[in-house]
């Protein structure tokens, strides 16, 4: 939607604020969401809005804090007994919102259920496929065995909430089997979870009502094992249009909104609202096709992008600080890697890639491209914050270098079809590390494409470096945290030194809140009403 | 009349089938829904599994055949995004859109027709000229901007009305509707006006042109000469005669208001079908897109049919012509 409209809307909004702002209803928190969850079922669609909603109602074994560091959830302790065995100690005395006690049976049921969810568009099997054995030593101790070393198991267990086995119709004894579980009963359809009778979890809230597209109500779970949450009731409304979302905040219809448009943030803040922003786990990058020569979008029989010097020149000619200051209005951080420090596996000392047009020109000359070449830069224009304008800016910077760049901007669904068909020599995209550590971006974007090893799934640049692959594979087999982090750092360093991929910046995620409210920005970009507090 | 009905039905059926083919191929060309739906961290194997389950791994003609076969049995398929029957996902949203469109239609008629008639009766007065000037604004201001301005003035500045959403709903004939309680009505006013303004301007222009034309006719002069009051001439003779074009246009416009209230629904976060369509297009939820368009074809056909019936009620010549044809 046109940004000018929402700006026009805000231009003169301040006068009315004295009347409307600051009226946070006694104990109800109203939130305007930028995108709506597609289901209340926590195991149906592995997607940000769904996972954020699920965190209110269902608790995972292991929680991720605002920086995606692991902390106890329904499990109080987890330790690797050996390379392929984990012992997980469950929290005692926890009950579901319907009063049933939580035990190991619920965990086994949940992990058994994940592959059985009917019609799941993005199943959570991604996070459970490593598990080959699961046994309850007693009601509160679980022994997990894995096929090979699975150092990411705790991260993976932090991605899904635990549902009640009894409510879902399981038998008294649920037994895990790598191929098939027994005692799970009939797997309930996801739609059933949209009813409050079925959405029974151990989270801080319970489902009050859910009308798709309209509103979702959560009420406080009186049986919650943690600190009692601040709000009696949370109401979430999908307000997908950013202008409408800002208007709803200004008019006092909602107390909190996700992703206010960048150009409106100064205004919102100036009018007394609170803006919370923080580094996300999402990097915006440019991938350069190194697979074939010739490559689409570049004239001639050669592919200059196969030359690391050309890639470096392209990387050095991007003025990341200008993009941050002019386009992102401060809401990005120039990147030098694929994940911001201090997340796991990053090199904290590595600076952002500098802006050095002179060096870039030298490199182009060294590579034999003094006269540059022409290229098409593909980009979505409705997916990432200011994605279209960023690509336009990069195109201008590259053109100054002598690489005549044409931008091919499309809606995300059309863009992704072209990208996955290898139709771009260069494209801009983003990657959010769900696990919050370095093997996620490296494994997906940089590792050699290899379906058998589940690596390089999003490596549409077809970069291939066995040195990086080997380090990564070794890291993914290393349970020792320090050693794994060292391997990931090394792999990241090589990838960045060879300009396998060109990071631009890390997005900052923002929330705007009514005066008097506070929210700690989360790296995973989740909006958790349960974590919104009154400022005292 | 029966032959006429059958012919219409046959035409409509053809339209529906042609639509099914076109839409299916069009949507198929956009891209692979799994790429949008699946978490990017998923492995290639998982991607293939999901594609297989959705039947997307098969060739186009086979997918179409399966789809069309199900369609003949009244099954529009399951939404990729929601995992529920596509038609039921849409029908959940239908009441919200219908009541908004009907409310807007009422506004357009109740204000549009009298204003148009006044402007037609007194074309050279200040009133007449201001009505016409106002209708130009209604025509030319973009819907989107109008909506935002209305939110700005009535919700943000004055705080009289909510900025969006549907508000409280009441159960009515098994549907949830807003117009039966104060909170719901309050939420409906701004979006309904937003949706109605353009149609109102259209009705004003039609009514004005019609009035000016009818006033020149011999039968009006005759009625006046016969000694009928000015009032009766306007309310019976003029009004009835200008309604035919107005009803035709509004019939078609009602269809488009129901089908494509997308802008209004987006700006006011009104949970209707238009918003669902946009969301579904962005997520490539093919079954919902196709089912939606089929439903719209059906609605248009139905509305056109009703308009034809209304015609014959309004214009005796149409009735006579039909009788003559038999």
């Amino acid at each position: 939607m046109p940004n000018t409209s929402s700006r026009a809307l805000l231009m003169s909004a301040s006068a009315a604020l004295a009347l409307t702002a600051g009226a946070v209803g006694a104990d109800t928190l109203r939130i305007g969401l930028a995108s709506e969850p597609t289901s209340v079922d926590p195991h149906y669609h592995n997607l940000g809005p769904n996972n954020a909603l699920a965190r209110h109602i269902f608790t995972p074994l292991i929680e991720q804090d605002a920086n995606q560091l692991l902390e106890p959830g329904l499990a109080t302790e987890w330790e690797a007994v050996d390379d392929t065995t984990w012992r997980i100690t469950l929290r005692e005395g926890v009950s579901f919102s319907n009063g049933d006690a939580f035990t190991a049976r619920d965990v086994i049921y949940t992990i058994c259920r994940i592959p059985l969810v009917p019609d799941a568009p993005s199943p959570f099997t991604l996070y459970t496929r490593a598990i080959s054995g699961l046994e309850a030593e007693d009601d509160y101790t679980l022994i997990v065995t894995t096929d090979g070393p699975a150092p990411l198991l705790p991260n993976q267990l932090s991605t899904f909430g635990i549902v009640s086995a009894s409510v879902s119709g399981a038998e008294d004894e649920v037994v895990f089997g790598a191929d098939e579980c027994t005692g799970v009963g009939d797997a309930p359809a996801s739609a059933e979870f949209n009813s409050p009778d079925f959405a029974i979890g151990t989270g801080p809230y319970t489902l009050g009502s859910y009308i798709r597209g309209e509103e979702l109500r959560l009420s406080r779970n009186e049986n919650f094992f943690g600190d009692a949450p601040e709000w009696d009731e949370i109401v979430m409304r999908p307000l997908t249009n950013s202008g409408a979302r800002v208007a709803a905040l200004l008019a006092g219809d909602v107390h909190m909104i996700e992703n206010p448009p960048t150009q409106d943030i100064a205004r919102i803040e100036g009018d007394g609202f609170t803006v919370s922003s923080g580094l996300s786990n999402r990097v915006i990058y440019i991938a350069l096709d190194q697979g074939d020569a010739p490559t689409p979008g570049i004239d001639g029989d050669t592919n200059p992008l196969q030359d690391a010097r050309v890639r470096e020149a392209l990387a050095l000619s991007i003025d990341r600080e200008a993009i941050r200051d002019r386009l992102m209005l401060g809401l990005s951080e120039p990147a030098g890697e694929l994940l911001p420090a201090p997340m796991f596996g990053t090199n904290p000392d590595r600076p952002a890639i500098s802006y050095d047009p002179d060096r870039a020109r030298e490199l182009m000359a060294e590579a034999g491209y003094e006269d540059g070449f022409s290229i098409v830069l593909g980009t979505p224009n409705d997916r990432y914050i200011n994605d279209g304008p960023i690509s336009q800016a990069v195109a201008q910077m590259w053109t100054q270098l002598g690489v005549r760049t044409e931008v091919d901007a499309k809606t995300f669904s059309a863009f992704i079809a072209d990208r996955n068909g290898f139709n771009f020599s260069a494209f801009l995209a983003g990657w959010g590390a769900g696990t919050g550590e370095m093997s996620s971006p490296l494994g997906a974007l940089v590792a050699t494409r290899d379906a058998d090893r589940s690596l390089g799934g999003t490596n549409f640049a077809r970069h291939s470096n066995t040195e990086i692959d080997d380090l990564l594979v070794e890291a993914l087999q290393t349970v020792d945290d320090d050693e794994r982090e060292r391997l990931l750092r090394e792999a990241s360093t090589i990838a960045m030194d060879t300009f396998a991929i060109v990071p631009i910046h890390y997005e900052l995620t923002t929330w705007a809140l009514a005066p008097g409210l506070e929210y700690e920005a989360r790296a995973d970009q989740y909006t958790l009403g349960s974590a919104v507090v009154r400022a005292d | 009349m029966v032959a006429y009905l059958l012919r219409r039905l046959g035409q409509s059926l053809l339209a529906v089938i042609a639509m099914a083919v076109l839409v299916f191929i069009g949507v198929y060309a956009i891209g692979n829904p799994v790429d949008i739906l699946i978490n990017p961290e998923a492995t290639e194997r998982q991607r293939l599994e999901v594609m297989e389950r959705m039947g997307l791994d098969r060739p186009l003609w086979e997918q179409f055949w399966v789809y069309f076969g199900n369609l003949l049995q009244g099954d529009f398929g399951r939404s990729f995004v929601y995992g529920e029957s596509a038609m039921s996902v849409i029908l959940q949203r239908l009441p919200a859109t219908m009541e908004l469109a009907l409310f807007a239609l009422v506004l357009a008629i109740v204000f549009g027709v009298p204003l148009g008639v006044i402007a037609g009766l007194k074309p050279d007065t200040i009133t007449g000229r201001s009505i016409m000037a106002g209708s130009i604004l209604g025509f030319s201001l973009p819907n989107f901007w109008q909506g935002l301005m209305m939110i700005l003035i009535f919700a943000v500045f004055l705080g009289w009305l909510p900025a969006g959403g549907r508000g409280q709903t009441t159960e009515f004939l098994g549907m949830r509707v807003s117009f039966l309680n104060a909170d719901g009505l309050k939420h409906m006013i701004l979006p309904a006006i937003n949706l109605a303004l353009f149609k109102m301007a259209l009705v004003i222009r039609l009514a004005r042109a019609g009035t000016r034309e009818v006033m020149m006719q011999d039968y009006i002069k005759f009625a006046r000469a016969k000694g009928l009051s000015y009032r009766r001439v306007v309310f019976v003779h003029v009004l009835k005669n200008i309604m035919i074009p107005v009803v035709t246009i509004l019939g078609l416009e009602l269809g488009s208001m129901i089908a494509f209230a997308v802008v209004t629904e987006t700006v006011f976060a009104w949970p209707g079908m238009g918003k669902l369509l946009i969301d579904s297009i962005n997520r490539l939820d093919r079954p919902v897109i196709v089912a939606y368009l089929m439903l719209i074809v059906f609605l248009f056909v139905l509305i056109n049919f009703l308009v034809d019936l209304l015609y014959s009620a309004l214009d005796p010549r149409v009735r006579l012509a039909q009788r003559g044809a038999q």
Side-chain angles (χ1 to χ4, degrees):
Chain A
M1 290 295 162
N3 291 332
T4 43
S5 315
S6 49
R7 186 182 295 171
L9 177 70
L10 290 165
M11 288 296 274
S12 40
S14 42
L17 294 175
L19 300 170
T20 51
V24 176
D27 290 306
T28 301
L29 178 72
R30 303 176 154 272
I31 305 177
L33 301 178
S35 51
E36 193 190 14
T38 55
S39 171
V40 183
D41 183 346
H43 309 136
Y44 174 69
H45 200 164
N46 180 15
L47 190 76
N50 288 45
N51 293 346
L53 170 65
R55 287 293 170 281
H56 292 90
I57 306 173
F58 306 93
T59 323
L61 284 179
I62 299 169
E63 296 262 21
Q64 292 186 1
D65 71 3
N67 295 314
Q68 289 193 276
L69 299 175
L70 303 181
E71 57 179 29
L74 283 175
T76 49
E77 279 171 56
W78 53 96
E79 54 162 347
V81 181
D82 56 50
D83 265 6
T84 57
T85 314
W86 293 76
R87 174 193 297 274
I88 296 173
T89 314
L90 302 182
R91 197 181 287 273
E92 295 185 35
V94 174
S95 45
F96 284 95
S97 56
N98 65 356
D100 291 354
F102 158 77
T103 64
R105 171 173 162 257
D106 300 301
V107 181
I108 298 176
Y109 176 78
T110 296
I111 290 172
C112 282
R113 173 179 189 251
I114 282 174
L116 303 177
V117 179
D119 294 323
S122 181
F124 281 74
T125 45
L126 174 63
Y127 304 123
T128 56
R129 70 196 156 101
I131 300 172
S132 61
L134 182 63
E135 261 174 70
E137 247 180 25
D138 56 56
D139 269 357
Y140 298 100
T141 313
L142 274 170
I143 303 294
V144 183
T145 45
T146 57
D147 265 340
L152 294 183
L153 188 75
N155 299 67
Q156 290 166 341
L157 293 179
S158 71
T159 55
F160 55 88
I162 303 298
V163 298
S164 159
S166 302
V167 172
S168 302
E171 290 164 25
D172 285 340
E173 195 170 342
V174 184
V175 181
F176 179 87
D179 294 323
E180 207 180 351
C181 299
T182 51
V184 289
D186 290 329
S190 287
E192 295 199 47
F193 279 84
N194 298 343
S195 132
D197 302 335
F198 214 90
I200 301 296
T202 56
Y205 285 87
T206 60
L207 183 64
S209 66
Y210 172 49
I211 306 169
R212 182 175 295 146
E214 205 166 319
E215 78 174 16
L216 190 146
R217 282 173 181 271
L218 299 167
S219 19
R220 199 203 306 253
N221 173 9
E222 301 302 339
N223 289 329
F224 182 51
F225 63 87
D227 298 334
E230 178 106 29
W231 312 98
D232 283 345
E233 197 178 31
I234 296 176
V235 181
M236 298 183 178
R237 275 174 45 196
L239 297 169
T240 42
N241 174 261
S242 57
R245 204 155 63 238
V246 175
L249 179 75
L250 295 181
D253 283 9
V254 295
H255 305 128
M256 176 187 195
I257 57 169
E258 294 181 321
N259 303 338
T262 14
Q263 75 274 10
D264 291 343
I265 287 174
R267 190 112 221 153
I268 294 175
E269 234 168 357
D271 289 339
F273 287 82
T274 315
V275 171
S276 163
S277 67
L279 218 46
S280 71
N281 62 20
R282 185 185 276 165
V283 65
I284 299 297
Y285 64 88
I286 291 180
L288 300 169
D289 180 30
Q290 299 147 49
D292 287 326
T295 168
I298 296 183
D299 294 336
D301 294 334
T302 57
N303 179 356
L305 302 174
Q306 287 173 330
D307 188 327
R309 288 170 299 189
V310 174
R311 299 199 298 269
E312 184 174 358
L314 292 173
L316 292 180
S317 62
I318 299 172
D319 188 347
R320 290 167 178 73
E321 284 170 13
I323 291 177
R324 176 193 63 197
D325 297 339
R326 299 272 174 272
L327 290 177
M328 302 297 286
L329 302 179
L331 292 170
S332 69
E333 188 174 298
E337 282 188 286
L338 297 174
L339 196 67
M343 293 178 109
F344 191 87
T346 55
N347 292 290
D349 301 331
R350 198 175 174 98
I353 299 175
S354 55
Y355 172 54
D356 192 344
D358 298 331
R359 175 76 190 129
R361 225 161 269 132
E362 275 172 41
L363 283 162
M364 288 293 278
E366 276 175 37
Y369 291 99
E370 298 94 337
D371 300 331
F373 50 88
S374 59
I375 191 170
V376 178
L377 174 64
T379 178
N381 57 13
D382 53 5
R383 176 74 169 186
Y384 309 105
I385 305 174
N386 299 334
D387 42 12
I390 295 170
S391 295
Q392 296 287 356
V394 169
Q396 286 172 22
M397 292 162 185
W398 282 1
T399 303
Q400 277 175 14
L401 176 72
V403 179
R404 297 167 296 280
T405 310
E406 186 191 319
V407 173
D408 182 6
K410 294 185 167 118
T411 183
F412 185 66
S413 53
F415 163 82
I416 205 167
D418 267 349
R419 184 195 72 177
N420 293 8
F422 299 99
N423 292 332
F424 292 126
S425 287
F427 66 85
L428 176 137
W431 183 265
T435 51
E437 47 76 55
M438 187 58 93
S439 76
S440 161
L442 281 183
L445 306 177
V446 179
T448 307
R449 293 178 66 82
D450 182 346
D452 292 336
R453 292 200 292 189
S454 303
L455 286 177
T458 311
N459 181 1
F460 293 101
R462 288 174 284 187
H463 178 81
S464 178
N465 181 342
T466 46
E467 211 180 342
I468 297 176
D469 297 347
D470 292 345
L471 283 166
L472 204 55
V473 168
E474 198 186 337
L476 290 171
Q477 309 272 334
T478 307
V479 176
D480 181 72
D481 278 351
D482 293 337
E483 177 61 10
R484 185 167 82 256
E485 182 156 33
R486 190 190 65 74
L487 291 164
L488 289 175
R489 282 179 173 158
E490 202 181 327
S492 173
T493 304
I494 297 172
M496 292 301 113
D497 286 349
T498 54
F499 295 88
I501 188 166
V502 179
I504 297 180
H505 60 229
Y506 311 114
E507 282 183 351
L508 263 62
T509 315
T510 44
W511 289 264
L513 301 102
L517 295 183
E518 274 177 8
Y519 184 65
E520 187 188 358
R522 290 183 63 91
D524 53 21
Q525 309 188 311
Y526 293 171
T527 300
L528 301 183
S530 46
V532 177
V533 291
R534 291 188 175 92
D536 290 316
Chain B
M1 196 67 186
V2 176
Y4 172 75
L5 271 181
L6 280 178
R7 203 167 59 232
R8 282 295 298 269
L9 203 69
Q11 285 168 353
S12 314
L13 212 63
L14 271 179
V16 169
I17 293 174
M19 194 70 187
V21 177
L22 279 178
V23 168
F24 193 87
I25 293 172
V27 172
Y28 186 91
I30 303 177
N32 185 344
V34 174
D35 291 336
I36 304 283
L37 293 172
I38 205 162
N39 188 299
E41 291 187 330
T43 62
E44 184 64 21
R45 214 187 63 203
Q46 278 184 313
R47 221 179 124 251
L48 293 176
E49 273 169 18
V50 174
M51 279 183 68
E52 201 181 312
R53 209 179 49 226
M54 291 180 174
L56 297 171
D57 54 335
R58 299 188 223 169
L60 172 60
W61 64 269
E62 209 178 312
Q63 285 186 44
F64 182 75
W65 194 240
V66 170
Y67 171 78
F68 198 70
N70 289 338
L71 198 63
L72 289 180
Q73 298 162 32
D75 177 4
F76 287 84
R78 295 166 81 79
S79 157
F80 292 159
V81 173
Y82 301 110
E84 292 171 36
S85 144
M87 202 35 105
S88 78
V89 169
I90 294 170
L91 290 180
Q92 282 165 9
R93 302 283 192 97
L94 185 67
T97 297
M98 287 296 252
E99 76 172 325
L100 186 65
L102 289 174
F103 192 24
L105 183 74
V106 169
L107 286 180
I109 296 174
V110 166
F111 290 97
V113 174
L115 287 174
V117 172
I118 293 171
L121 290 176
K122 301 170 181 167
D124 296 320
T125 60
I126 295 192
T127 326
R129 284 177 194 280
S130 5
I131 292 174
M132 291 319 286
S135 81
I136 292 174
L137 280 185
F139 257 117
S140 47
L141 293 182
N143 213 230
F144 186 84
W145 185 83
Q146 272 176 21
L148 282 172
M149 281 301 125
M150 279 176 9
I151 293 178
L152 176 67
I153 296 169
F154 295 104
V156 179
F157 271 148
L158 300 172
W160 291 350
L161 295 166
R166 199 176 174 197
Q168 236 178 7
T169 53
T170 330
E171 194 89 9
F172 175 69
L173 299 177
M175 295 179 297
R176 293 179 314 101
V177 294
S178 301
F179 72 92
L180 288 177
N181 67 71
D183 184 60
L185 266 180
K186 255 171 97 174
H187 280 82
M188 203 152 73
I189 292 174
L190 288 184
I193 293 178
N194 181 236
L195 197 58
L197 271 179
F198 182 85
K199 317 294 167 198
M200 209 187 286
L202 200 64
V203 172
I204 289 176
R205 306 216 128 215
L206 281 171
R208 174 181 180 267
T211 308
R212 294 202 68 181
E213 200 187 309
V214 170
M215 286 306 278
M216 306 286 185
Q217 300 287 323
D218 289 343
Y219 60 83
I220 299 291
K221 286 182 194 145
F222 180 73
R224 292 288 289 157
K226 208 168 75 172
L228 292 183
S229 69
Y230 184 64
R231 230 184 137 72
R232 186 166 165 84
V233 171
V234 172
F235 277 90
V236 177
H237 297 274
V238 175
L239 215 52
K240 206 168 174 182
N241 280 296
I242 63 167
M243 282 317 270
I244 292 168
V246 172
V247 165
T248 317
I249 294 294
L250 279 183
L252 291 174
E253 293 290 328
L254 175 65
S256 74
M257 275 201 281
I258 294 170
F260 310 114
V262 180
V263 172
T264 301
E265 288 185 359
T266 311
V267 172
F268 289 93
W270 186 264
M273 299 191 302
K275 210 159 152 296
L276 176 70
L277 177 68
I278 287 293
D279 292 346
S280 301
I281 290 174
N282 283 333
R283 288 169 176 156
L284 294 185
D285 195 349
R286 285 182 199 166
V288 174
I289 302 174
V290 179
Y292 181 87
L293 292 171
M294 305 298 279
L295 182 72
I296 294 308
V297 171
F298 175 75
L299 270 179
F300 266 91
V301 167
L302 186 74
I303 289 172
N304 275 336
F305 182 66
L306 290 179
V307 166
D308 280 0
L309 290 184
L310 258 183
Y311 260 10
S312 43
L314 280 170
D315 189 346
R317 282 170 300 185
V318 176
R319 271 188 307 242
L320 291 175
Q322 277 169 10
R323 223 168 278 158
Q326 286 172 354

